[in-house]
Amino acid sequence: RGLLQYNSHQKRWVWDEDITRAEDITDNVLQLLSSKMTGMSGNVQTLLKVMACFGTSTNESVIRYLSESAEYAGVRNGLEGALIDGFIAKDGEGYLKFVHDKVREAAYNLIPGYGKKQSHYDLGKVLYSICDGKDVEDTIFIAIANQINHGKEWISKDTDLSIAVAQLNMKAGKKAIDGCDHTTAYSYLRTAISLLPEGHWDSHYDLSLRLNFLMASAANSTSQYDKAELVLRNIFEKARCLDDQLPSYLLLNEILLSQGNPKGLYDNCVKIFDQLGVTITSSVTPD
């Protein structure tokens, strides 16, 4: 019926959105797209599956880095084919984009359901092995974290990898905080802490302290005060000295103040002064 056609002027596959919605034939379009894709070369299919794992758009440098690996050596050639065949387009900012969400969906469907998690994880590991130690932009490391996080059950079996991925998630969380996206930051930081090995406060003290404080800060910024206070109490218990506790005490004061809890704020300050060897009254009157 000509639902899917190649527009030689636009150099991409097109279809009538109104018709597909009106006749509820979106699945037909996906099947047609998938059929076209499976007829492409192996390199093009690999490129499409790789890009689909990263979402609707991918920094072109990601493809360049991946092409340095044995596993994804053909993606650069695949990119040329995908551009010519009209599945992918370049923008002026160094990004590659699927020409439509349905094209990305069809490309993602090329990966069997049982293999999707593994595909994300493998991509993240390979990209990390290439970029580790290189001066690459933060967006690349965030992309790595997003991919490799799909394989948390495999990461936990490798202590060195779990620490490296925890640090990647911390970097991604700090980047999100800098962009005032505290909800995303909290998610990255919670993932980072979940990847730390048993006994991490002893074996990786500085990393544990930093991650927990950042997570408490992100929780506070998203009004998750109970979660923030729970993390801070853990820091008070695990931190080795008052200097390491002080930033957390100050953050707790901010939380108590924002909650209109002057007594809790005063009691918290008493604890700080007590550790400094300064004795003040343990109660205060309204006057």
Side-chain angles (χ1 to χ4, degrees):
R1 294 178 52 189
L3 293 175
L4 182 68
Q5 297 180 343
Y6 184 76
N7 187 307
S8 58
H9 178 68
Q10 298 181 28
K11 295 183 179 180
R12 68 183 184 91
W13 293 95
V14 296
W15 56 90
D16 191 311
E17 295 274 5
D18 293 332
I19 292 177
T20 56
R21 280 196 296 266
E23 300 189 22
D24 194 23
I25 52 178
T26 301
D27 289 344
N28 297 45
V29 170
L30 287 174
Q31 290 172 11
L32 287 168
L33 284 168
S34 295
S35 177
K36 297 291 184 182
M37 290 175 180
T38 53
M40 300 292 101
S41 69
N43 285 341
V44 172
Q45 290 188 53
T46 298
L47 179 280
L48 292 172
K49 288 186 282 188
V50 164
M51 282 197 54
C53 283
F54 286 102
T56 56
S57 66
T58 309
N59 192 311
E60 191 171 0
S61 59
V62 168
I63 304 303
R64 184 176 67 254
Y65 288 127
L66 284 173
S67 69
E68 298 176 15
S69 68
E71 297 90 334
Y72 301 100
V75 290
R76 290 295 292 273
N77 289 335
L79 174 58
E80 293 179 15
L83 288 167
I84 292 171
D85 291 324
F87 294 118
I88 304 294
K90 286 185 179 182
D91 68 10
E93 299 179 353
Y95 277 83
L96 304 166
K97 297 184 177 181
F98 284 102
V99 296
H100 194 280
D101 290 346
K102 293 301 177 186
V103 177
R104 186 263 171 181
E105 187 176 349
Y108 197 55
N109 286 343
L110 293 175
I111 308 171
Y114 63 85
K116 284 180 166 60
K117 185 182 291 187
Q118 184 75 54
S119 295
H120 285 285
Y121 177 67
D122 289 344
L123 268 175
K125 278 195 69 176
V126 170
L127 195 55
Y128 177 72
S129 69
I130 294 169
C131 296
D132 185 31
K134 292 183 178 179
D135 184 20
V136 301
E137 54 265 50
D138 288 341
T139 54
I140 301 298
F141 283 112
I142 292 173
I144 294 171
N146 288 337
Q147 295 303 308
I148 210 167
N149 284 347
H150 283 268
K152 285 176 63 176
E153 63 268 37
W154 300 306
I155 300 169
S156 60
K157 297 176 183 178
D158 184 335
T159 300
D160 290 339
L161 179 62
S162 65
I163 294 301
V165 178
Q167 291 171 330
L168 278 176
N169 277 278
M170 181 173 69
K171 182 178 288 189
K174 289 168 67 177
K175 185 72 173 178
I177 289 173
D178 290 342
C180 297
D181 186 355
H182 299 285
T183 299
T184 298
Y186 181 83
S187 178
Y188 279 125
L189 295 164
R190 182 178 59 184
T191 297
I193 290 175
S194 74
L195 292 170
L196 296 179
E198 187 176 351
H200 58 85
W201 277 100
D202 293 322
S203 60
H204 298 86
Y205 175 78
D206 290 339
L207 179 61
S208 300
L209 182 65
R210 182 64 174 154
L211 277 172
N212 276 271
F213 180 75
L214 287 170
M215 183 174 166
S217 298
N220 175 47
S221 296
T222 52
S223 301
Q224 300 181 80
Y225 302 120
D226 289 343
K227 291 182 179 179
E229 187 169 345
L230 187 64
V231 176
L232 292 173
R233 299 292 181 192
N234 188 45
I235 293 175
F236 299 147
E237 179 183 344
K238 301 292 187 181
R240 295 173 179 172
C241 61
L242 180 58
D243 283 348
D244 289 346
Q245 292 174 333
L246 275 177
S248 297
Y249 274 121
L250 293 175
L251 179 57
L252 181 57
N253 281 349
E254 290 181 21
I255 294 172
L256 295 170
L257 184 62
S258 67
Q259 292 179 316
N261 184 357
K263 183 180 185 305
L265 177 61
Y266 183 81
D267 290 344
N268 193 47
C269 290
V270 169
K271 291 179 183 178
I272 299 173
F273 282 114
D274 183 56
Q275 293 191 63
L276 291 170
V278 179
T279 302
I280 60 175
T281 179
S282 59
S283 61
V284 63
T285 64
D287 294 337

